[in-house]
Each structure stands twice: as structure tokens, then as C-alpha cells.
RNA sequence: GCCGGGGUGGCGGAAUGGUAGACGCGGUGGUCUCAAACACCACUUGGGUUAAACCAGUGCGGGUUCGAGUCCCGCCCCCGGCACCA
């Protein structure tokens, strides 16, 4: 055997033996715990794998291999996400059919994964484009449809004029298509959606129980975007300019004293009655009467009730009497959503999205000048692309409609504007604008000269930022603030304060006011407290060929029928021309044999021709892996319930939202359907860091301009050689075919070996950190492996096969004990770090261990001492087994060389003995007043008193303490002594 | 702007509130060699010293503590995500 790591002499040999032995086939031995470790479903690209992919697969492989050795039943599958745009585009480019092309690429992926020694169970592999698989994707679509979670509607979609397809919102970056980089246009066509919004609350709440990176969970929470507030109705009033001025110029409209007294009496009566309507129908009737009177009084006074106590009366009366309020007939109204109902008294205008339907009605009732302005603005808004409309730092635009809305809180009219900073698709598409406490409204109000009223008392801290001298008193600053709020920019948005200028709510805390006004709005039946989500329904329609067909038949009557389960799958027809039609319809729509069919009643019908986006296919593949070849079911319940959830799911952070959210959604639906026992598919998630490669760019020439965000013009490595040094810019960029900076596992394996590549990837940095690729690092890894080979080679002559039976009976000297201590500590640390995804420290423990063995001269000593020979034998086995997950080829080669049968994969993972990790002596740090001054080595079991004495009496310390009085001594056992003295 | 993650030697990075810099790369010196490469051994945070002592030190400024890279408060910078979401 070699005394160095010579991968070409054994790596492929072991790969063949593993294959011949079906080593990685999933085993389900009864009585053992299970472990499901999985990598993200890859799309098999024609470029093949880069070392960046290996940074994902190798660590998962290490964990799974350790779990197998620890006696777990391990499911470690791999398949291919074959459907979708990238494959189709590639096939079009190559003028081939995607199916055989994908098969070829997947085979190449598999070859490369095997080359690196990943322990996938290939017997469970499949591609999402296999009819055996997508039959069940369609079956799940039908479950969703039956549960009312799949529906079709006309929708404005993102149209990519280059790929000639519809894109999901998430596939657009800055107004451009992520893939083709084309500027996205709008187009209206019927689309299929999944109603993921129905699961928003559960998708949000269940994040708490997941062992996922905080950042990913935060991104999902942000994406779901829950906000709680109040939605209420505002009446439209068509009043004159003069009337508007009068309303604001004169005294504030307020409840007449008589009405107020009447209301107070009502409250007293309601409170006195004690309300037990369920047992007392008389009281209920009385309550009904009181409430009706209260409502009448409120409306007669032409304003709502402000008093908190009356509000309570309304509230309790309505709840306890089980009453329904019938609001007064209102002519024209719209709803607004706000999270800051506490600022309602500060409303000075309203804004409608230009697309809001009520704008049509308003338009019909205002003077021609306003009508013209409204039309002009709406036209403008329509033409603006989404990019332009959502550009950062864009000046606010908008026009006054000429109409007013009535603030229900104080009865005052406020102008209604239309502006595109209000989005039609969120909330109600209309807002109450409070420029005093909302920055956007403030910017708008200042630009258009709209009144700003402060209604939340700003804090001292906020105000003093606007005063240079800072010496002013709070009251003085507050007075200045109140007299001209527009000077105070940015606005005071904090909720940690109390109300001002808010009628009877003045003085309440924001929280109290929110609760109180919320109840009041509900009692008055002009609105409700409501939860809004940013999350939108999931658009799945793709007007492309290479996807899973949607199993729906449209009947002549326009009815949607699901294809019966026994007729699934709806097969993708085998055709020559699958290029996009370019008119927005799917290529399938132009294949009569596919489209024309009969419906369930035997009449002529038409098949749905849209296909599902790729995210549908990857939303359940983890379930199929549990039972991949079942041809009568999507999965066997027992199988799925045994393996699920995925215990550790590993992949890139770029799928933070879409894939993971969709897969969670499907799992929840399937849970509701009783098809799986878990509510969440992925118990633990880990994101690997990216691999960056040194990439050459050059400075732009005089006639060239850089796009936004570009630092230089990409050049090939070849070009770079002929460019002068000073014009070159080297940057670390993500490996990609287009950048020409890809390092492949093939070349790394050829040059350094698979195990060296694996060790480097594990060791170079923490798992989730980005790394800068350096070949020297792989060399260093190979050197380490060579040191292991040399150690085993040198120690082998002293190897005692049955050391484990003998070691307990041998008197062990200090060296032997030291070796065992290092062995058992290493087992402890390695095991813990692999579980914790600390692969870089896993490798460093092994390096440290090997250094310790060499430093102890244990090989030389083993020749003379039986105890040392036994300890060394244990060390040889241990280091090979601990190395096995990271460098499985080398481990098996070494294992074979010390005369072991079978594979390390089948061996038992070493266990550590706590007692053996304990040091006999320890080096104690001695501090004086918290500063390290000396160290002392003492027996591990020394008493605190003896340790203190030992610490005080070292030459250095006694000299330092000379003349000082010891005030206090802190002893941390086996760590340090801190002497406080002065 | 908001959310999340970071900031430690020349570099990648280690450090349950307890000896900062494990492990590796690079560098310096040495052994081997005719020589080089490989390999091996030693040293390698900065200042200081013949050597030590000693001083400084984990983005910046405060604080808590016997003791802070680690905890708290206030900033700065970098990376990722979201971005007029009412």
C-alpha cells in the first residue's frame, strides 16, 4: 500500500465496488431510527455540474453517511427537475426534443455525482418529466381543484416578449425577465391559479416550529406580509370649494350637548341593565331599542359617536343583544384599509389607485376640467411600465378628482385624489391619507399643498433632532411643531406615544385608541378590523410545451371538467414543433389531436392547453421519493408517514421564498386531505454558500458604457492574457457557463482526486459562507490525506486486530492514555460538529488529531509498549472511520489495507467514552485583576484551595502580589484563577 | 427605508462570559538533495527586548462584570433579501 494519497489508484475501484454491492440502496431495518437527508431538486443543465454544486452535495453526503454508520435507516435520494423553461429553451436552441436531451444531461449529472462519490440511492431516482411522475402531479392538481384551491381567471400577466411566455412575479427582477432580460409587458389572458392565500395564516404561523435559518424564515414572513388593521367605508360627497372651506374653517362639527347627554343616559341604562339577553328576552329587546336609538342619535347629529364609554355601550349592546346594525343608505362610497386607525383624525385627504373602479363613478359626477385631468392621469399611469412606476425615489404624482370623502371620525370632508403610489392590488386600492404620520402621505401633501395635521404627540427625542441648540424645553418645541408640521421631515411615525387633536380620544395611547376606534368602527358597522396579506395567489399557467399538462377539459358549455383519475396522465403529445406560438397561447393549442377530445358526457370538448410551471412539479417530489415506483398510488401512506418529514433539506438560499413556500403549501393541502401526517415537509433547512471564481473583466473603452450595476466588461480568460494588466479588473463572481469561469468536478477529480475535492469543500469555510475558489486549497487537502495514509502505513505493523477486547486489561502508560484521550475527544467533537453542519471544524479536529498522534511519537513507542500499540490500533480504526464520511474512497482503501472486510459505510460509527476524555492534569490560567499573568499545570482533581495556593505561589504571581492585599479570588475549575488585589 | 446575516493576523477561518487567533494557506529559517520539487522540523498578531518582562489588540464609542470577540446601549461599514404593501 502507498504511504501517500494516490487517488487514481483506488477511487474508481471503490466506486465500482460500492455499485456492485448496491451499497447505497435505502434500507428499512425494523427498530432503527430513520433519517431523511435531501438536496434541492436540480435542473440538469447541459453545462454539467460545477464544484459549486458539490458544495451542496458533499456536506449532505457526509451527514447521511455518518447517519448510516450510526445505525439509522437513511433515505438519501436524488432526482431531476426536468420540466420547465430552461430545458425547453435549451432544446429549442439545439433543435432537439427536450425529452432525450434532458435524459442525456441527467445521465451526465449522475456520472459526475458518482465521480465525487455521493451516496445517492439511484434506484429511487426519477425526473419530473416522467409520465409515471407527472401523472401524480396532475392527480394532486385535481385534489386542489376539488378543494376549490385551483381556479382560472382573466388576469393581467407578465409577458416576456423574448421567451414569448408568461412569467411569475418572482421571475422578474427590476422590470426585466430574470432569464431573457427582456422588458416585461402586460397582457390579459385566462390563467390558472392556486389559492395559496387561503393558507397564508398557517404558512406564517407554522414557520415558528421549523429549524430553518432565521433569514429564510424572515423572508417568508415578509413575503406573506401580514398586517392587522381596520377596513372601513367612506362616503363620497360632491360639495363645493366653499362648503369644503367652511367645514374646515368654522368650528369643528361636534355632537350637540343634548345628543351627548342623551347618549350618556343610554350608556348608564345599558350598563345598569346587566345584559343577559340569552336568559332575558326583555332585556334583549330593550338593548335592541337602546342601540337603535343610539344609532339614530349619532346620525341625527351628523357625526359618529366619539365618546369611549358610548362606544363601549354600542359594542356590548350589539354583542350581547346579538344585533345587526343597518347603516344608513349611502349614495357613493369606497373602502379604505389602514393599520393606523388611531390617526384617523389626522386624515386630510384620500387617495385611490388610478385603476380603482369607483373612479369611473366619481368621474361621472364632477366638472369637465376634473374629468379631463382624471382621464389624463389614468392614461399616463396605464402607459407607465411597472419598473418606471415603482422606481425608487420617484416623485409622487397624482390629481385631485374634484370629489370629497367624509371622515367618519369627525364628519369633515377631505379631498379625494388619485395617485399611483397607491397600489390597486393591495388592500382595497384606496387609503385614508394621514400626512402628519405617514411619510408617503406627507411627501404627497407637501408637494400638492394639502393640509397636515399632527394627531400623535411626538417625543422629545424626535423633536430635539430638529433644533440645533437643543436647549429648548419640550413644550416650546411641541408648540413649534404644532404651528408648522411641514418643517418636521421625516415625520413622526412611532406608535409609542399618545393622541392629540383627536376629539374625545385625545390623551389615549396609540394602542388604546386603535382598540377603541376599531371597536367603534365595527359598532357603527362602517367597517371591520381586518388582516391583510401581501401574499398573492400562485399563478401556475405557462403557455409552453415542456411542462406538466393541466388535466382539465373545457366543455362546449364552458364548464371545467377534471380528467378522471383512471385516464391520467394527460400525456404531453410527442411532437416535432413545440416552439412558443408567439400569440400567448400554448404550442399545445395548435395540436388538434391533443386539443380535441370528448368530455365526461361524450360530447366534444377541448383540453386545457396551458401547462403547469415547474414549481408545481417540485412541490411534492420529496413525497414521491418515499415510494418512487408505485404505479397505483402517488405514494403508499405508510411509506410516506415513515420517512416524512425530510429531516435535513439542503440547497441554495435563492429558493428562500418560492419553492419552499409552495412545497409547504402543497404539504398542508395534502395534510388536510389526509394523505400525509406532517404539516411541514422540511424539519430542518440548511443553505450552502456560493462558490465564487476569479473572473476577469476589462475597463470599458471610450465608446462603451456600462449597464447599471456592472463593474466592467466580462472577458474570457484567453482574452485576458492579451489585455494589459492595468486595464484588467479581477473580480470574484459566481461560477456560471456564461462567465466562462466554471471549475468542474471532473478536472478537480482528475488532478487532485475526489476525496481531496471533498475535503477542501468541507474545510475551506463554514458551510453557509461564500467561498473564493482556490486550487491550492485542494492541494492542501490532498496533503492532509497523504499524511493520514503515511500515518496508517507507519502504524500498521503495530496494529492489533482485536485491540478492543484487550485494551481494558492492559496497564496503560501516560502515552497510551494520552492517545486514547485524543481519540475519544476527537470522536466527541467530530460527531457533534457533523450534526451541527460544522464541517470545517470536523476536518480540523481530524487534522489536530493526526498532529497529536504524530507529536506523541506513538508509532515508535508502539513498537516497545503493548499498551501504546493497543491505543494506536484504536486510533488507526478511529481515524479511518471518522474520515469515512468526508473521504470515503480513502477510508475504504485504508480499511482494506489494515485487513478489514466490507466497507467503512457498513462499519459502526465510533462512540466516545466520556471518562476517557477527562484530562489527568490541566493548565490553569492565572489572572491578576483580570489580566493573564501566568499559567500553572496542576492535577485535574485538585481542590479549589490547593489550586488558589498553587496560583498565588508561582514566582511571577507572588512577585506581582507582593505588597498588595488580595481582596477576592475567583476560581473556575480546570480553567482559571483570577486574583483580585490592590 | 425596512428585514436578515456579518465585520477577528498577510489570507480562509477557530473560540459553552474564562489563556483570542484552533486548523489550514501563505511567509521565514532549517533538514533531506549535486540541485530543484516533494516531504519533514521550527518559527510566524503588532510594538518592544539579545532574550524576557511589558504594552496594545477581535469595525467605532460607551456600559455591565472579578473577567467581554462573546452580554447591553448608541453608531459606522460590508453582504443578501424586500421595497410607495397604507
Amino acid at each position: 500500500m502507498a504511504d501517500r494519497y494516490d487517488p487514481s489508484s483506488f477511487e474508481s475501484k471503490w466506486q465500482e465496488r460500492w455499485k456492485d454491492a448496491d451499497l447505497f440502496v435505502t434500507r428499512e431495518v425494523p427498530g432503527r431510527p430513520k433519517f431523511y437527508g435531501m438536496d434541492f431538486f436540480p435542473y440538469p443543465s447541459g453545462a454539467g455540474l460545477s464544484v459549486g454544486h458539490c458544495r451542496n452535495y458533499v456536506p449532505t453526503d457526509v451527514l447521511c453517511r455518518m447517519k448510516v454508520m450510526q445505525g439509522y435507516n437513511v433515505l438519501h435520494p436524488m432526482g431531476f427537475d426536468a420540466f420547465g423553461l430552461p430545458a425547453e429553451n435549451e432544446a429549442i436552441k439545439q433543435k432537439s426534443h427536450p425529452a432525450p436531451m434532458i435524459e442525456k444531461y441527467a445521465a451526465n449529472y449522475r456520472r459526475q455525482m458518482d465521480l465525487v462519490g455521493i451516496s445517492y440511492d439511484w434506484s429511487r431516482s426519477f425526473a419530473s418529466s416522467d409520465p409515471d411522475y407527472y401523472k401524480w402531479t396532475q392527480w394532486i392538481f385535481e385534489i386542489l381543484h376539488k378543494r376549490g384551491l385551483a381556479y382560472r381567471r382573466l388576469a393581467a400577466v407578465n409577458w416576456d416578449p423574448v421567451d414569448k411566455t408568461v412569467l411569475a412575479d418572482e421571475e422578474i427582477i427590476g422590470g426585466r425577465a430574470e432569464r431573457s432580460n427582456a422588458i416585461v409587458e402586460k397582457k390579459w389572458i385566462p390563467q390558472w391559479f392556486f389559492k395559496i392565500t387561503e393558507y397564508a395564516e398557517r404558512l406564517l404561523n407554522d414557520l415558528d416550529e421549523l429549524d430553518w435559518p432565521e433569514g429564510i424564515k424572515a423572508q417568508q414572513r415578509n413575503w406573506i406580509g401580514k398586517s392587522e388593521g381596520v377596513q372601513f367605508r367612506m362616503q363620497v360627497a360632491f360639495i363645493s370649494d366653499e362648503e369644503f372651506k367652511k367645514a374646515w374653517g368654522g368650528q369643528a362639527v361636534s355632537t350637540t350637548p343634548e345628543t351627548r347627554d342623551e347618549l350618556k343616559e343610554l350608556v348608564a341604562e345599558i350598563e345598569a341593565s346587566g345584559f343577559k339577553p340569552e336568559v332575558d328576552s326583555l332585556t334583549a329587546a330593550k338593548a335592541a331599542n337602546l342601540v337603535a336609538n343610539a344609532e339614530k342619535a349619532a346620525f341625527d347629529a351628523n357625526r359618529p359617536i366619539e365618546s369611549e364609554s358610548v362606544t363601549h355601550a354600542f359594542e356590548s349592546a350589539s354583542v350581547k343583544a346579538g344585533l345587526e346594525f343597518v347603516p344608513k343608505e349611502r349614495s357613493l362610497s369606497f373602502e379604505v384599509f389602514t393599520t393606523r386607525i388611531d390617526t384617523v383624525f389626522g386624515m386630510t385627504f384620500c387617495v385611490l389607485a388610478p385603476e380603482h373602479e369607483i373612479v369611473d363613478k366619481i368621474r361621472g359626477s364632477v366638472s369637465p376640467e376634473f374629468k379631463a385631468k382624471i382621464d389624463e392621469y389614468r392614461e399616463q399611469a396605464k402607459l407607465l411600465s411597472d419598473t418606471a412606476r415603482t422606481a425608487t425615489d420617484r416623485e409622487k404624482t397624482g390629481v385631485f378628482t374634484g370629489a370629497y370623502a367624509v371622515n367618519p371620525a369627525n364628519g369633515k370632508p377631505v379631498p379625494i385624489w388619485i395617485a399611483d403610489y397607491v397600489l390597486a392590488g393591495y388592500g382595497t386600492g384606496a387609503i385614508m391619507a394621514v400626512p402628519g404620520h405617514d411619510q408617503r402621505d406627507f411627501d404627497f401633501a407637501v408637494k400638492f399643498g394639502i393640509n397636515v395635521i399632527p394627531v400623535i404627540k411626538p417625543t422629545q427625542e424626535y423633536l430635539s433632532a430638529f433644533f440645533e441648540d437643543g436647549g429648548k424645553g419640550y413644550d416650546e418645541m411641541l408648540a413649534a411643531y404644532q404651528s408648522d408640521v411641514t418643517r418636521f421631515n421625516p415625520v413622526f411615525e412611532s406608535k409609542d406615544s399618545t393622541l392629540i387633536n383627536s376629539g374625545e380620544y385625545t390623551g389615549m395611547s396609540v394602542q388604546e385608541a386603535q382598540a377603541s376606534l376599531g371597536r367603534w368602527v365595527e359598532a357603527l358597522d362602517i367597517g371591520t378590523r381586518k388582516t391583510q396579506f401581501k401574499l398573492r395567489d400562485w399563478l401556475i399557467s405557462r403557455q409552453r410545451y415542456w411542462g406538466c399538462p393541466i388535466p382539465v377539459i373545457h366543455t362546449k358549455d364552458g364548464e371545467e371538467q377534471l380528467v378522471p383519475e383512471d385516464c391520467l396522465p394527460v400525456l404531453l403529445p410527442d411532437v416535432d414543433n413545440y416552439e412558443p406560438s408567439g400569440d400567448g397561447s400554448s404550442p399545445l393549442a395548435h395540436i388538434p389531436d391533443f386539443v380535441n377530445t370528448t368530455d365526461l358526457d361524450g360530447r366534444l370538448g377541448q383540453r386545457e392547453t396551458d401547462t403547469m410551471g415547474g414549481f408545481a412539479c417540485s412541490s411534492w417530489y420529496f413525497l414521491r421519493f418515499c415510494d418512487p415506483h408505485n404505479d397505483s398510488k402517488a405514494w403508499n401512506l405508510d411509506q410516506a408517514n415513515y420517512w416524512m418529514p425530510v429531516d435535513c433539506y439542503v440547497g441554495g438560499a435563492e429558493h428562500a421564498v418560492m419553492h419552499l413556500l409552495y412545497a409547504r403549501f402543497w404539504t398542508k393541502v395534502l395534510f388536510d386531505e389526509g394523505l400525509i401526517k406532517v404539516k411541514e415537509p422540511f424539519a430542518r433547512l440548511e443553505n450552502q454558500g456560493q462558490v465564487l471564481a476569479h473572473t476577469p473583466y476589462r475597463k470599458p473603452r471610450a465608446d462603451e458604457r456600462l449597464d447599471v450595476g456592472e463593474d466592467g466588461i466580462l472577458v474570457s480568460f484567453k482574452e485576458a492574457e492579451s489585455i494589459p494588466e492595468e486595464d484588467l479588473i479581477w473580480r470574484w463572481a459566481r461560477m456560471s457557463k456564461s462567465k466562462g469561469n466554471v471549475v468542474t468536478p471532473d478536472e478537480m477529480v482528475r488532478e487532485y482526486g475526489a476525496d481531496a475535492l471533498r475535503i477542501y469543500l468541507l474545510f475551506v469555510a463554514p458551510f453557509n459562507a461564500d467561498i473564493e475558489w482556490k486550487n491550492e486549497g485542494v492541494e492542501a487537502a490532498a496533503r492532509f490525506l497523504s499524511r493520514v495514509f503515511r500515518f496508517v502505513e507507519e502504524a500498521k505493523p503495530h496494529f492489533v486486530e482485536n485491540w478492543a477486547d484487550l485494551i481494558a486489561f492492559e496497564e496503560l502508560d501516560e502515552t497510551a492514555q494520552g492517545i486514547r484521550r485524543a481519540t475519544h475527544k476527537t470522536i466527541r467533537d467530530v460527531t457533534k460538529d457533523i450534526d451541527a453542519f460544522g464541517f470545517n471544524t470536523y476536518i480540523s479536529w481530524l487534522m489536530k488529531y493526526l498532529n497529536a498522534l504524530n507529536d506523541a511519537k506513538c508509532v515508535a513507542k508502539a513498537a516497545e509498549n503493548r499498551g501504546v500499540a493497543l491505543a494506536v490500533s484504536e486510533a488507526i480504526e478511529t481515524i479511518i472511520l471518522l474520515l469515512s464520511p468526508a473521504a470515503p474512497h480513502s477510508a475504504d482503501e485504508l480499511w482494506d489495507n489494515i485487513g478489514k472486510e466490507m466497507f467503512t459505510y457498513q462499519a459502526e460509527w465510533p462512540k466516545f467514552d466520556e471518562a476517557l476524555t477527562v484530562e489527568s492534569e490541566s493548565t490553569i490560567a492565572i489572572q491578576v485583576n483580570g489580566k493573564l499573568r501566568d499559567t500553572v499545570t496542576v492535577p485535574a482533581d485538585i481542590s479549589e484551595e490547593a489550586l488558589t495556593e498553587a496560583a498565588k505561589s508561582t514566582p511571577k504571581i507572588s512577585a506581582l502580589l507582593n505588597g498588595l492585599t488580595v481582596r477576592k479570588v475567583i476560581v473556575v475549575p480546570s480553567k482559571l484563577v483570577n486574583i483580585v488585589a490592590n
Side-chain angles (χ1 to χ4, degrees):
Chain A
M1 110 169 215
D3 63 350
R4 67 188 176 90
Y5 167 63
D6 178 20
S8 60
S9 70
F10 62 78
E11 286 190 343
S12 56
K13 172 183 78 185
W14 287 107
Q15 285 167 10
E16 272 165 41
R17 289 191 189 173
W18 298 337
K19 198 176 168 191
D20 292 345
D22 280 335
L23 192 59
F24 304 131
V25 168
T26 309
R27 285 168 180 84
E28 297 178 43
V29 182
R32 291 188 175 184
K34 69 96 182 178
F35 183 83
Y36 189 173
M38 189 172 72
D39 297 305
F40 283 12
F41 208 31
Y43 153 68
S45 135
L49 294 177
S50 75
V51 289
H53 295 91
C54 301
R55 186 150 163 71
N56 176 349
Y57 304 142
V58 170
T60 313
D61 191 46
V62 168
L63 181 59
C64 287
R65 283 173 175 271
M66 180 180 80
K67 289 291 169 189
V68 167
M69 293 171 76
Q70 285 178 327
Y72 285 75
N73 290 325
V74 170
L75 178 56
H76 185 209
M78 174 52 69
F80 299 98
D81 191 14
F83 267 146
L85 267 188
E88 185 170 327
N89 288 340
E90 173 80 6
I92 290 168
K93 213 190 282 173
Q94 298 205 359
K95 303 196 191 316
S96 71
H97 193 276
M101 186 199 78
I102 275 295
E103 206 172 314
K104 197 175 88 194
Y105 290 174
N108 187 43
Y109 262 47
R110 178 176 170 178
R111 181 193 61 78
Q112 287 181 298
M113 289 163 172
D114 287 343
L115 188 66
V116 188
I118 313 291
S119 65
Y120 293 129
D121 175 2
W122 288 113
S123 73
R124 292 193 177 227
S125 188
F126 55 80
S128 60
S129 57
D130 295 344
D132 288 353
Y133 179 81
Y134 72 70
K135 170 181 180 176
W136 303 109
T137 308
Q138 293 174 346
W139 179 73
I140 297 173
F141 174 95
E142 298 197 342
I143 290 172
L144 285 152
H145 195 275
K146 285 173 194 156
R147 298 183 75 91
L149 296 169
Y151 66 96
R152 195 167 179 247
R153 69 168 158 87
L154 199 66
V157 295
N158 309 300
W159 176 248
D160 179 338
V162 170
D163 278 347
K164 300 206 185 328
T165 189
V166 172
L167 302 174
D169 288 345
E170 306 89 67
E171 289 170 320
I172 298 166
I173 293 166
R176 287 174 178 270
E178 192 180 8
R179 283 188 216 292
S180 71
N181 206 36
I183 292 175
V184 174
E185 297 167 4
K186 280 208 182 301
K187 196 179 176 92
W188 290 81
I189 40 177
Q191 302 284 317
W192 283 96
F193 288 86
F194 287 143
K195 210 184 270 179
I196 191 172
T197 49
E198 197 157 292
Y199 283 70
E201 190 81 51
R202 285 164 70 185
L203 288 167
L204 182 69
N205 292 339
D206 291 350
L207 280 173
D208 295 340
E209 68 196 47
L210 298 179
D211 180 13
W212 286 19
E214 271 316 308
I216 302 287
K217 290 208 262 186
Q219 277 184 58
Q220 293 218 350
R221 287 193 187 101
N222 187 26
W223 190 262
I224 294 166
K226 178 179 179 173
S227 55
E228 287 172 292
V230 172
Q231 187 166 316
F232 64 94
R233 189 157 283 281
M234 306 249 305
Q235 255 194 291
V236 178
F238 298 98
I239 57 173
S240 70
D241 230 16
E242 289 70 43
E243 285 173 294
F244 172 72
K245 280 181 188 139
K246 202 171 134 196
W248 283 88
Q251 283 297 337
V253 189
S254 69
T255 315
T256 59
E258 307 86 75
T259 318
R260 187 170 292 170
D261 290 346
E262 201 180 327
L263 290 171
K264 280 186 180 155
E265 275 169 41
L266 274 170
V267 173
E269 225 174 313
I270 287 167
E271 280 170 357
S273 71
F275 276 134
K276 288 212 176 64
E278 68 275 15
V279 294
D280 185 355
S281 59
L282 257 172
T283 313
K286 194 172 176 186
N289 196 33
L290 291 174
V291 170
N293 285 345
E295 191 197 19
K296 187 170 179 299
F299 279 103
D300 285 351
N302 192 29
R303 60 157 306 174
I305 294 115
E306 288 175 6
S307 154
E308 168 73 348
S309 53
V310 175
T311 306
H312 277 301
F314 262 77
E315 198 185 350
S316 41
S318 65
V319 171
K320 289 174 180 170
L323 292 169
E324 279 185 30
F325 289 91
V326 183
K328 267 185 167 179
E329 184 76 16
R330 286 170 173 79
S331 46
L332 195 54
S333 64
F334 60 91
E335 286 198 297
V336 296
F337 175 73
T338 180
T339 55
R340 292 299 301 270
I341 191 68
D342 54 295
T343 63
V344 68
F345 287 87
M347 179 194 335
T348 55
F349 61 107
C350 279
V351 187
L352 305 174
E355 299 91 338
H356 198 292
E357 53 183 17
I358 203 178
V359 178
D360 289 326
K361 293 177 185 160
I362 290 174
R363 195 183 154 275
S365 306
V366 292
S367 66
E369 310 94 85
F370 285 119
K371 203 181 279 182
K373 275 188 187 163
I374 292 171
D375 292 347
E376 191 193 334
Y377 188 77
R378 294 180 94 183
E379 201 52 44
Q380 223 179 64
K382 211 185 287 174
L383 288 175
L384 268 185
S385 71
D386 273 4
T387 341
R389 193 170 156 171
T390 57
T392 47
D393 295 339
R394 182 168 163 255
E395 272 272 306
K396 295 237 174 340
T397 60
V399 292
F400 174 41
T401 60
Y404 296 85
V406 181
N407 181 347
N410 56 12
K412 294 199 184 192
V414 294
I416 300 171
W417 289 64
I418 55 174
D420 63 11
Y421 83 90
V422 171
L423 309 174
Y426 181 79
T428 61
I431 60 160
M432 67 168 209
V434 182
H437 304 285
D438 182 286
Q439 192 63 41
R440 296 157 302 188
D441 298 343
F442 180 85
D443 295 342
F444 192 85
V446 168
K447 178 168 176 187
F448 293 104
I450 303 168
N451 202 11
V452 182
I453 302 173
V455 289
I456 307 291
K457 201 177 200 173
T459 57
Q460 165 123 29
E461 195 191 0
Y462 168 81
L463 289 172
S464 51
F466 294 94
F467 295 88
E468 280 183 15
D469 51 2
K472 296 203 178 192
Y474 177 74
D475 291 342
E476 207 177 328
M477 293 195 293
L478 187 62
Y481 173 78
Q482 297 238 43
S483 71
D484 185 10
V485 208
T486 55
R487 277 183 37 233
F488 291 76
N489 188 7
V491 302
F492 183 74
E493 283 186 324
S494 170
K495 288 184 192 172
D496 196 13
S497 186
T498 56
L499 273 67
I500 52 176
N501 300 329
S502 298
E504 309 229 354
Y505 293 84
T506 296
M508 270 192 200
S509 74
V510 165
Q511 264 159 18
E512 286 169 336
Q514 285 190 340
S516 180
L517 279 158
R519 286 193 298 263
W520 164 76
V521 161
E522 287 182 344
L524 211 58
D525 201 32
I526 56 168
T528 53
R529 275 173 282 189
K530 202 179 165 178
T531 303
Q532 281 288 348
F533 294 94
K534 279 201 265 186
L535 183 70
R536 308 293 157 81
D537 278 341
W538 167 16
L539 169 72
I540 57 146
S541 280
R542 292 301 123 92
Q543 289 68 42
R544 300 286 295 225
Y545 169 76
W546 191 236
C548 175
I550 292 171
V552 165
I553 296 166
H554 301 281
T555 68
K556 272 192 161 165
D557 312 331
E559 195 194 328
E560 282 167 10
Q561 290 182 347
L562 292 174
V563 174
E565 188 181 329
D566 56 10
C567 297
L568 295 179
V570 176
L571 282 170
L572 205 52
D574 203 5
V575 293
D576 295 329
N577 182 21
Y578 51 84
E579 297 197 19
S581 59
D583 61 358
S585 69
S586 165
L588 294 176
H590 303 271
I591 303 168
D593 284 354
F594 178 79
V595 176
N596 298 319
T597 184
T598 50
D599 67 17
L600 299 181
D601 311 313
R603 297 171 304 168
L604 283 178
Q606 295 204 312
R607 283 198 193 281
E608 170 62 51
T609 58
D610 283 357
T611 52
M612 291 185 233
F615 283 122
C617 304
S618 57
S619 289
W620 73 282
Y621 76 109
F622 42 91
L623 293 167
R624 186 65 176 175
F625 276 140
C626 299
D627 187 17
H629 305 304
N630 195 327
D631 53 13
S632 61
K633 284 175 180 172
W635 57 82
N636 172 295
L637 274 163
D638 293 339
Q639 291 286 307
N641 285 329
Y642 176 73
W643 286 112
M644 289 297 289
V646 177
D647 296 284
C648 189
Y649 193 32
V650 184
E654 67 274 11
H655 288 294
V657 177
M658 289 178 282
H659 162 58
L660 292 171
L661 197 64
Y662 297 154
R664 295 180 59 218
F665 166 51
W666 275 35
T667 303
K668 289 183 188 305
V669 174
L670 296 168
F671 171 84
D672 291 349
E673 189 73 17
L675 290 167
I676 186 76
K677 272 193 197 155
V678 293
K679 291 180 185 162
E680 287 288 339
F682 315 122
R684 178 182 179 192
L685 175 73
E686 298 287 347
N687 299 124
Q688 81 275 10
Q690 296 180 23
V691 176
L692 310 176
H694 216 198
T695 310
Y697 292 79
R698 66 170 167 77
K699 290 178 184 163
R701 302 200 185 92
D703 58 332
E704 290 172 324
R705 279 185 45 212
L706 294 175
D707 282 348
V708 190
E710 280 185 354
D711 313 303
I713 293 167
L714 184 73
V715 293
S716 71
F717 283 78
K718 219 172 192 170
E719 285 173 89
E721 286 170 17
S722 57
I723 292 170
E725 186 85 20
E726 65 271 19
D727 290 340
L728 269 183
I729 310 164
W730 288 91
R731 290 192 190 288
W732 291 103
R734 190 182 177 161
M735 282 185 190
S736 73
K737 200 182 175 185
S738 63
K739 290 201 179 77
N741 59 0
V742 172
V743 179
T744 65
D746 306 65
E747 52 190 298
M748 286 300 113
V749 169
R750 204 182 313 124
E751 202 163 335
Y752 304 104
D755 283 346
L757 172 63
R758 293 171 63 109
I759 295 274
Y760 169 66
L761 286 168
L762 295 166
F763 178 64
V764 62
F767 174 73
N768 56 14
D770 290 352
I771 63 164
E772 296 169 353
W773 184 265
K774 287 183 181 129
N775 283 0
E776 303 90 85
V778 192
E779 285 173 34
R783 268 205 296 276
F784 162 65
L785 287 169
S786 282
R787 286 202 295 273
V788 179
F789 272 85
R790 189 172 334 110
F791 168 74
V792 175
E793 176 67 13
E794 286 169 2
K796 201 168 74 170
H798 313 296
F799 181 65
V800 181
E801 169 95 50
N802 57 341
W803 62 268
D805 302 327
L806 305 173
I807 201 160
F809 304 102
E810 196 71 32
E811 186 87 11
L812 299 184
D813 69 0
E814 193 47 50
T815 305
Q817 285 178 28
I819 292 167
R820 294 209 83 190
R821 200 178 302 126
T823 301
H824 286 261
K825 275 178 159 178
T826 304
I827 296 168
R828 179 192 64 194
D829 295 337
V830 159
T831 308
K832 180 177 121 279
D833 280 354
I834 291 177
D835 266 321
F837 264 59
F839 301 105
N840 56 334
T841 48
Y842 154 44
I843 301 301
S844 69
W845 291 127
L846 291 183
M847 291 173 167
K848 191 176 178 163
Y849 180 39
L850 185 65
N851 291 346
L853 293 170
N854 287 331
D855 289 348
K857 306 262 184 295
C858 61
V859 172
K861 288 177 185 166
E864 298 149 14
N865 182 306
R866 177 73 173 168
V868 173
L870 295 175
V872 165
S873 302
E874 181 183 27
I876 293 170
E877 280 193 16
T878 302
I879 199 164
I880 294 171
L881 292 174
L882 294 183
L883 185 67
S884 175
H889 311 83
S890 301
D892 276 1
E893 179 72 7
L894 292 165
W895 201 238
D896 185 54
N897 273 303
I898 61 169
K900 294 282 185 177
E901 301 289 320
M902 308 204 294
F903 305 102
T904 52
Y905 190 79
Q906 296 163 311
E908 201 183 321
W909 186 253
K911 291 193 176 77
F912 72 94
D913 181 346
E914 181 76 50
L916 290 174
T917 64
V918 177
E919 298 278 355
S920 58
E921 26 178 58
S922 44
T923 304
I924 304 292
I926 309 170
Q927 298 182 340
V928 176
N929 293 331
K931 284 199 173 187
L932 180 73
R933 294 299 178 185
D934 202 1
T935 59
V936 63
T937 301
V938 296
D941 55 0
I942 193 171
S943 71
E944 284 201 12
E945 292 74 24
L947 176 57
T948 305
E949 275 321 302
K952 280 182 185 167
S953 56
T954 75
K956 266 191 187 174
I957 300 301
S958 57
L960 269 166
L961 292 178
N962 191 21
L964 298 180
T965 311
V966 174
R967 304 288 173 192
K968 194 175 175 185
V969 178
I970 289 123
V971 179
V972 182
S974 74
K975 290 270 165 136
L976 65 64
V977 176
N978 186 12
I979 301 160
V980 184
N982 61 7

